[in-house]
């Protein structure tokens, strides 16, 4: 990417979250993630260019030195900070403005710093050899996969119903979504194939922000917030059919819609259960954990037949779950510790650096997090370490898993590889 020859017409709107906006290159497998800030600050940037650069570099450091170590380097892309021509950024902002969802326009793209995070576009992977049909990429936001300990929560319901399922009622009530999703993260993280397939099926039926399907880099299946229309599952299955025609469920060269959906769910389940080393890995048994079942899930526990009730230890879901569980106190148990840190910093502001509140996110930071005592000794160091653990856990609770399915060669037997 030649930074001195940037043309806004080579880039298109890709998506955005609360803190940043993403554009993708129309030819190369690259995306740029740019910062956002409130619209009222559009003529008065809240930080300097150097502060913006440092903020994005902190994201890179946090990803490469902390999240990569916890989730596994092969599963995480850290990216790099780039400085872009200001005129390019301003023209890009004008070009994509009409493509942004109206409800996201309370914030504007940073057009003053020229800083961005450059990452590979995982929705359109680079292939060594072209395939007759483009690769599929499925983005899954699994959310939190466990229930908090009763020791730290004041409401009993929080120990029985997961946060995601509770929020579904709230989001429907305030109009964010028209229909409640029946997906439950605890089913996906269970490691039991029946529960996982059940969860994936409900993700497909009501994807909301938790599932998107891309074909050759183009989003072919997702939900729109506040829309009365249900996502077109039949259209998705029409796109998927060519990828599964060589399966065992075809009839006279054709497949039923149900067979396509079942094959897709099974392939996704296999991908999510695969271990990093490809050998299946040791299984962590969670059958004894009361925190691995959510009462709001419609999955009938009596349906579970004999089989695995846990995840392979090197598996990406297992790594995400273990990182999420660094939040051992829940927000209720953490808040007093947060207040302890806040009060200490008001009294001793210079300690902010030593406690690494704003980084640097290096090996020393990771060691503090991993070696944090289980018992509260009343120190600000303990409180700060628990706050750091919570921040890392929240990152894992909001991460996306990108699963790429590449059509196998004609001479091979498997549908996907």
């Amino acid at each position: 990417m030649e930074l001195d020859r940037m043309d806004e017409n080579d880039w298109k709107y890709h998506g955005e979250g609360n803190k940043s906006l993403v554009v993708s290159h129309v030819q190369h497998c690259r995306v740029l993630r740019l910062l956002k800030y409130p619209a009222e600050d559009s003529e008065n940037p809240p930080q300097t260019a150097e502060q913006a650069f440092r903020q994005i570099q902190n994201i890179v450091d946090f990803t490469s030195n902390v999240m990569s170590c916890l989730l596994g380097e092969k599963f995480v892309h850290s990216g790099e900070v780039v400085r872009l021509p200001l005129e390019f950024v301003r023209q890009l902002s004008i070009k994509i403005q009409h493509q942004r969802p109206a409800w996201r326009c309370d914030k504007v793209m940073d057009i003053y710093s020229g800083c961005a995070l450059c990452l590979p576009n995982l929705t359109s992977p680079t292939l060594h050899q072209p395939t007759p049909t483009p690769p599929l990429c499925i983005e899954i936001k699994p959310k939190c996969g466990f229930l908090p300990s009763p020791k730290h929560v004041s409401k009993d319901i929080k120990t029985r119903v997961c946060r995601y399922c509770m929020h579904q009622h709230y989001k429907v009530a305030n109009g964010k979504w028209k229909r409640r999703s029946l997906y439950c993260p605890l089913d996906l993280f269970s490691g039991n194939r029946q529960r996982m397939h059940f969860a994936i099926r409900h993700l497909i039926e009501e994807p909301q922000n938790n599932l998107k399907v891309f074909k050759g880099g183009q989003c072919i299946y997702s939900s729109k917030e506040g829309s009365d229309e249900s996502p077109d599952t039949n259209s998705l299955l029409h796109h998927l059919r060519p990828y599964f025609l060589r399966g065992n469920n075809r009839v006279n060269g054709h497949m039923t819609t149900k067979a396509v959906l079942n094959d897709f769910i099974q392939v996704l389940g296999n991908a999510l259960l695969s271990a990093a080393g490809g050998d299946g890995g040791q299984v962590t048994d969670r059958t004894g954990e009361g925190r691995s079942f959510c009462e709001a899930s419609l999955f009938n526990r009596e349906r579970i037949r004999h089989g695995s009730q846990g995840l392979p230890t090197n598996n990406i879901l297992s790594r995400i779950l273990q990182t999420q569980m660094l939040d051992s106190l829940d927000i209720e148990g953490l808040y007093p510790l947060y207040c302890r840190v806040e009060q200490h910093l008001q009294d001793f502001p210079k300690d902010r650096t030593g406690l690494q509140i704003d980084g640097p996110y290096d090996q020393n930071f990771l060691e503090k997090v991993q070696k944090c005592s289980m018992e509260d000794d009343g120190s600000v160091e303990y409180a700060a370490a628990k706050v750091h653990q919570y921040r890392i856990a929240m990152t894992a609770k909001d991460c996306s898993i990108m699963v790429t399915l590449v059509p196998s060669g004609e001479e091979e037997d498997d549908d996907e590889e």
Side-chain angles (χ1 to χ4, degrees):
M1 190 168 66
E2 298 182 51
L3 296 179
D4 58 340
R5 295 184 181 181
M6 301 291 282
D7 184 341
E8 70 275 8
N9 295 312
D10 291 335
W11 298 84
K12 62 181 180 179
Y13 178 82
H14 191 84
E16 60 188 291
N18 186 43
K19 298 287 188 181
S20 58
L21 181 148
V22 178
V23 294
S24 58
H25 198 278
V26 295
Q27 289 182 311
H28 305 301
C29 296
R30 284 282 178 270
V31 297
L32 294 173
R33 177 178 167 185
L34 300 111
L35 297 175
K36 290 167 40 175
Y37 44 78
E40 55 265 28
D41 295 332
S42 59
E43 296 183 11
N44 234 350
Q47 58 184 358
T48 66
E50 282 309 308
Q51 287 172 328
F53 183 92
R54 187 66 247 169
Q55 180 182 347
I56 300 174
Q57 186 60 55
N58 262 351
I59 294 171
V60 174
D61 293 343
F62 183 77
T63 306
S64 59
N65 298 329
V66 180
M67 299 310 296
S68 284
C69 293
L70 295 170
L71 299 179
E73 288 185 13
K74 68 177 291 182
F75 293 127
V76 178
H77 291 274
S78 303
E80 62 175 333
V81 192
V82 292
R83 294 185 187 269
L84 307 167
L86 290 181
E87 184 59 25
F88 160 74
V89 177
R90 288 166 185 155
Q91 292 302 320
L92 179 64
S93 176
I94 294 170
K95 179 193 172 187
I96 66 170
Q97 183 60 33
H98 73 282
Q99 298 172 283
R100 299 179 63 200
W103 62 278
R104 287 289 193 190
C105 291
D106 61 326
K107 292 187 177 180
V108 295
M109 192 177 100
D110 171 19
I111 60 172
Y112 294 102
S113 74
C115 299
L117 178 61
C118 183
L119 290 154
N121 184 357
L122 299 179
T123 69
S124 181
T126 302
L127 302 178
H128 298 296
Q129 294 180 335
T131 57
T133 45
L136 293 173
C137 178
I138 299 91
E139 177 181 0
I140 297 175
K141 274 200 168 194
K143 307 307 282 188
C144 183
F146 70 98
L147 295 170
S149 166
K151 182 179 178 181
H152 303 290
V153 298
S154 58
K155 303 289 185 182
D156 177 63
I157 187 69
K158 291 176 70 173
T159 67
R160 296 184 287 110
V161 178
C162 77
R163 178 181 175 87
Y164 180 87
C165 289
M166 282 195 282
H167 269 218
Q168 281 300 302
H169 294 277
Y170 171 72
K171 290 178 179 180
V172 170
N174 71 13
K176 185 171 184 178
W177 297 108
K178 297 296 182 183
R179 293 163 300 279
R180 184 166 65 94
S181 169
L182 300 181
Y183 164 71
C184 178
L186 273 66
D187 289 328
L188 189 71
F189 280 100
S190 69
N192 175 270
R193 286 187 182 274
Q194 290 172 274
R195 289 179 68 188
M196 292 181 71
H197 289 182
F198 187 80
I200 294 169
R201 187 177 298 274
H202 285 301
L203 272 179
I204 295 168
E205 289 177 358
E206 202 64 59
Q208 296 190 1
N209 282 337
N210 301 96
L211 180 130
K212 292 181 181 179
V213 181
F214 298 86
K215 179 181 175 182
Q218 298 294 323
C219 184
I220 59 171
Y221 191 69
S222 64
S223 283
K224 292 182 180 178
E225 289 193 19
S227 173
D228 290 323
E229 298 179 11
S230 296
D232 191 349
T233 310
N234 286 330
S235 175
L236 170 65
L237 297 176
H238 175 75
H239 281 287
L240 294 178
R241 191 180 299 274
Y243 294 84
F244 296 95
L245 272 177
R246 290 187 293 126
N248 296 323
N249 294 317
R250 62 180 182 176
V251 179
N252 296 326
H254 298 284
M255 289 180 73
T256 63
T257 298
K258 182 179 180 180
V260 175
L261 180 60
N262 288 342
D263 276 8
F264 181 56
I265 291 171
Q266 185 170 335
V267 168
L268 261 185
N270 289 343
L272 292 172
L273 277 173
S274 64
D279 58 358
Q282 182 181 352
V283 171
T284 303
D285 187 9
R286 300 184 68 206
T287 51
E289 291 185 36
R291 298 165 70 187
S292 62
F293 270 102
C294 170
E295 288 186 7
S297 170
L298 295 183
F299 187 88
N300 186 343
R301 296 192 200 186
E302 295 177 3
R303 286 177 51 197
I304 298 179
R305 295 185 289 271
H306 297 294
S308 172
Q309 298 296 316
L311 295 163
T313 51
N314 284 330
N315 166 271
I316 184 57
L317 284 178
S318 176
R319 287 172 179 256
I320 290 173
L321 182 62
Q322 293 305 312
T323 305
Q324 291 179 353
M325 293 179 80
L326 286 173
D327 171 20
S328 58
L329 303 177
D330 189 72
I331 187 63
E332 293 186 61
L334 180 82
Y335 185 66
L337 299 178
Y338 170 81
C339 292
R340 184 190 302 174
V341 175
E342 191 176 50
Q343 183 60 54
H344 181 87
L345 292 179
Q346 287 178 4
D347 299 337
F348 306 97
K350 290 184 179 179
D351 285 357
R352 191 176 188 92
T353 302
L355 293 172
Q356 292 186 263
I357 301 300
D358 307 303
Y361 301 113
D362 52 16
Q363 186 64 33
N364 183 50
F365 176 90
L366 182 62
E367 287 178 4
K368 283 183 181 179
V369 169
Q370 292 178 319
K371 295 179 179 179
C372 178
S373 169
M374 296 292 289
E375 298 296 326
D376 184 0
D377 59 4
S379 68
V380 69
E381 288 78 12
Y382 170 84
K386 297 306 288 186
V387 170
H388 291 325
Q389 285 186 340
Y390 182 80
R391 293 166 63 198
I392 293 169
M394 291 303 290
T395 302
K397 291 178 186 181
D398 200 41
C399 74
S400 284
I401 301 172
M402 312 294 279
V403 180
T404 301
L405 305 179
V406 180
S408 59
E410 291 297 322
E411 72 281 358
E412 297 187 28
D413 294 329
D414 294 334
D415 286 339
E416 311 291 323
E417 61 178 16

